Structures are given as C-alpha cells and as structure tokens.
Amino acid sequence: MDNVVSLSDRKPHLRGPAKCLGCQHEWVAVRPAGPPEYLECPSCGLHKGVFDGNHAPPEDDVVYTCLCGCQHFFVMTYSVFCQGCGTVTDYSALE
C-alpha cells in the first residue's frame, strides 16, 4: 500500500490493491489516511472492500480459509467471525 497526497485537499491518502469480501472483485483503491474502514466496491456497491496483500503470514504456516473463500476474520474470545459471509466458527472446529 502506498501513501499519496491529494492535490485538492493536501491530505495524505492510502492507495493499494483492494478486494471486496462480498463479490471478490479486485481493484486499486484510494482513500484518506486514517483508521481502517471498509471501502465501497465499485462492482457491487457494498461497503465490504478491504486493502489486500499488505501483510501475509509465513508461507509455511497453516492459514484458515472460510468455506466462502474469505481469509479476513475478527478473532473473538471463543470463535472467529468471517467478514465475508458472517459465519461464526468455534475454535474447536479449526483443529
């Protein structure tokens, strides 16, 4: 993800590859710098876009992928919540 400066308002912006967790559309997104927030997908219009590929686990590690194909999750006390489809999975099911 790159940092860019808008010439119109002179504020820092973020630019980088993005992916919609809803329809899987991929594009290059630009948004004002600040706390993470979902991006509006230019394909389906849902606010389920995230910057993609900024960081990745080691290649030799096991990575959990939801049945919907999404790898973006909220880690909660006793389960994980898929941001793509909303499925909640108990940790015992991940073993």
Side-chain angles (χ1 to χ4, degrees):
M1 183 169 29
D2 299 327
N3 289 323
V4 296
V5 176
S6 168
L7 296 177
S8 63
D9 60 11
R10 302 276 187 209
K11 294 180 182 174
H13 283 62
L14 302 174
R15 177 183 65 86
K19 183 176 185 176
C20 179
L21 300 178
C23 72
Q24 308 303 311
H25 178 71
E26 296 180 5
W27 75 100
V28 175
V30 177
R31 73 163 187 86
E37 59 185 48
Y38 289 106
L39 307 165
E40 182 177 351
C41 175
S43 180
C44 70
L46 295 175
H47 287 266
K48 285 190 152 194
V50 294
F51 282 111
D52 196 32
N54 298 325
H55 305 285
E59 290 186 23
D60 60 343
D61 208 343
V62 175
V63 176
Y64 176 73
T65 301
C66 183
L67 294 175
C68 76
C70 183
Q71 294 179 339
H72 297 271
F73 302 93
F74 287 112
V75 178
M76 302 183 305
T77 304
Y78 300 104
S79 58
V80 293
F81 176 85
C82 176
Q83 294 182 45
C85 68
T87 298
V88 176
T89 304
D90 187 78
Y91 289 131
S92 63
L94 302 178
E95 299 180 66

